[in-house]
Amino acid sequence: MDFKILGPLDVTAGAERLDLGGTRQQVVVATLLLSANKVVALDRLLEAVYGEELPPTARAQVQISISSLRRTFAAVSGRPVLTTHPQGYVLTVEPGRLDAERFDGLLLAARAARDADAPHLAMARYRDALRLWRGPTLDGIDSALLRAAAHRLDEQHLSTTEERIALELELGRHYELVGELTELVSEHPLRERLRGQLMLALYRCEQAAEAHEVYQQARRTMDEELGIDPSQHLRQLDGAIRSADPTLQLRPEATVAHPAKLPTPSLLPADIADFTGRAAQLRQIRRRLAQQAGGSAASAAPIVVITGKGGTGKTRLAVHAAHEIAGSFPDGQLFANMHGAEPHPVSPLRVLERFLRMLGLPDSQLPEGLDARVETYRNMLAGRRVLVVLDDVASEGQVVPLIPSDGTAAVMITSRARLAGL
């Protein structure tokens, strides 16, 4: 299931949009999603639904809502999604299935690319993150408790927009930004950073008088609304504009900046020169992976699982097939032996460490925990045509963190188990 809170609350299973029920149940789901995969106390749910004045039936009504939601989720997922714990309730969300989580991961990737002097990649990741927003967070949910949390997320959206615009100004895109910044300043008239960005964009477009007028508007608005003057930074920027300070001009190297070329990993083992047979299976693999990969970012990554007893040629088939279709994956091929048949299979945490390095992530930016590595890995693969080959997989749990989040990449797996869940 996919959960969305960056806009109106929305829960979908495949193409089906779930009917969560009335307002009370929507507030319960929203509260649980704001703390996804964590225990949420019943008292917090009561406050979110009713505020400070609880009716006598409050506990019973919320528990009825929980029971109804549990049935709704179980009917489409086939597994426990909403569970009861001694301290409260947990809504379990798989990695990559909550839009707010994906936003955090993309923002992390954008900042990492920016700090690694890859501004074009950073700009793309910023835009990917901001596209997840469909409107104000939890729009339409009437709960004082949730509005406070939603305001925090909306503030993060706005500050991320400012980060992205600052980067684009460094890349010399001031002409393209004037219209967007004018609209943003109109929507957020007290936001001084946006004012300053609009002033700088106008000045670089040779509209110094218009830039000064933006400052004058800020001074009048802040005096009327707050009774204060603009910040020292904004005053200094206006002074620099009026004196044509050369430091406001675009750095010469910024105008010729080029996108950083990402590494193209090629980790496949050597192919078998005299490989014969398996023609039907090779056709299936080509049809499933080479033809279906590269779909929209919203589609799932195509997966092929090759199963069989030990010594039946699973690895040889996978490696040969991977070499045959490598041309369909120009952004690279990743390979890992998961050692599933051995007493101690390789953990996905270790595999992700190697994959992230091969994809160009510096050691200094390598996340520690599994969840953070999964997010970074999926963000680095987003939109890239990469083939991931995972050999000798022990279980679904070992491989799920290594599956890309969209349909531009593809996965081939060998295992002695059927891995029917994939």
Side-chain angles (χ1 to χ4, degrees):
M1 285 189 293
D2 289 292
F3 301 87
K4 297 177 181 179
I5 62 174
L6 303 181
L9 177 64
D10 191 43
V11 181
T12 56
E16 178 188 359
R17 186 174 184 272
L18 299 190
D19 181 3
L20 301 176
T23 301
R24 183 168 57 243
Q25 289 174 207
Q26 293 179 37
V27 172
V28 168
V29 172
T31 307
L32 292 168
L33 286 174
L34 286 169
S35 300
N37 301 311
K38 298 178 182 177
V39 177
V40 178
L42 177 58
D43 287 346
R44 183 170 178 81
L45 293 175
L46 292 170
E47 182 182 355
V49 174
Y50 296 106
E52 296 182 356
E53 297 184 7
L54 304 182
T57 59
R59 286 180 175 270
Q61 293 297 327
V62 168
Q63 289 167 346
I64 290 171
S65 297
I66 291 287
S67 298
S68 176
L69 290 167
R70 184 180 287 122
R71 290 192 298 269
T72 299
F73 294 148
V76 296
S77 69
R79 60 178 181 81
V81 176
L82 179 52
T83 54
T84 303
H85 291 255
Q87 294 81 21
Y89 302 93
V90 174
L91 183 57
T92 301
V93 179
E94 295 179 349
R97 295 298 185 179
L98 176 62
D99 58 357
E101 176 202 352
R102 293 199 299 276
F103 172 83
D104 289 340
L106 286 165
L107 180 56
L108 177 67
R111 289 170 174 170
R114 179 196 63 192
D115 296 343
D117 199 23
H120 290 82
L121 175 61
M123 186 171 64
R125 290 294 173 259
Y126 275 123
R127 290 188 174 274
D128 289 342
L130 292 167
R131 269 195 294 268
L132 293 172
W133 245 267
R134 299 166 293 115
T137 301
L138 295 174
D139 193 21
I141 299 290
D142 185 16
S143 167
L145 180 69
L146 296 189
R147 290 320 310 163
H151 177 74
R152 176 183 58 79
L153 287 172
D154 288 336
E155 172 65 24
Q156 189 177 21
H157 173 260
L158 188 55
S159 63
T160 300
T161 299
E162 292 172 336
E163 285 185 33
R164 190 262 303 168
I165 289 173
L167 183 62
E168 294 197 43
L169 282 171
E170 291 179 10
L171 294 175
R173 302 192 63 181
H174 37 275
Y175 288 102
E176 297 96 322
L177 289 170
V178 167
E180 179 186 3
L181 280 166
T182 300
E183 184 176 344
L184 285 169
V185 167
S186 177
E187 294 173 359
H188 308 280
L190 298 177
R191 196 83 178 189
E192 288 194 90
R193 188 178 186 189
L194 289 174
R195 290 268 188 186
Q197 289 174 331
L198 177 57
M199 290 166 62
L200 182 59
L202 286 168
Y203 178 75
R204 288 179 176 173
C205 292
E206 300 180 353
Q207 299 181 51
E210 289 83 350
H212 177 60
E213 178 56 27
V214 170
Y215 171 78
Q216 294 287 55
Q217 291 172 355
R219 187 174 58 80
R220 290 191 294 268
T221 299
M222 297 186 72
D223 180 58
E224 293 170 2
E225 297 289 333
L226 304 175
I228 61 174
D229 291 327
S231 66
Q232 182 180 1
H233 169 74
L234 212 60
R235 296 197 304 271
Q236 289 175 341
L237 176 60
D238 179 60
I241 287 171
R242 287 186 285 112
S243 64
D245 189 329
T247 62
L248 296 181
Q249 295 296 334
L250 191 67
R251 291 180 293 109
E253 63 269 22
T255 61
V256 296
H258 298 287
K261 180 172 175 56
L262 295 172
T264 304
S266 182
L267 303 185
L268 296 177
D271 195 6
I272 296 90
D274 58 351
F275 187 95
T276 58
R278 302 291 189 187
Q281 288 90 342
L282 287 169
R283 283 195 299 272
Q284 284 183 293
I285 292 170
R286 284 194 295 269
R287 185 166 56 249
R288 175 66 178 160
L289 299 187
Q291 295 178 16
Q292 292 190 24
S296 69
S299 63
I303 301 173
V304 162
V305 181
I306 303 170
T307 61
K309 296 180 180 179
T312 55
K314 299 184 297 300
T315 300
R316 285 183 294 170
L317 172 59
V319 170
H320 184 71
H323 279 280
E324 279 199 347
I325 64 176
S328 298
F329 300 93
D331 294 323
Q333 305 87 44
L334 298 170
F335 180 93
N337 185 342
M338 307 300 290
H339 296 285
E342 297 183 8
H344 301 289
V346 177
S347 71
L349 186 72
R350 284 184 55 195
V351 175
L352 285 168
E353 179 179 349
R354 178 168 173 257
F355 281 1
L356 289 172
R357 287 192 174 116
M358 292 299 101
L359 290 167
L361 188 72
D363 286 354
S364 61
Q365 297 172 16
L366 186 68
E368 291 294 329
L370 177 61
D371 288 347
R373 287 186 184 180
V374 170
E375 291 174 359
T376 305
Y377 167 72
R378 287 175 173 163
N379 290 329
M380 294 187 76
L381 289 188
R384 300 184 67 189
R385 299 292 305 277
V386 174
L387 176 63
V388 182
V389 183
L390 306 171
D391 185 39
D392 194 18
V393 169
S395 65
E396 293 168 8
Q398 187 188 26
V399 75
V400 164
L402 304 174
I403 296 177
S405 59
D406 64 50
T408 56
V411 183
M412 185 157 40
I413 296 168
T414 74
S415 178
R416 300 188 185 193
R418 291 193 61 83
L419 307 181
L422 298 178

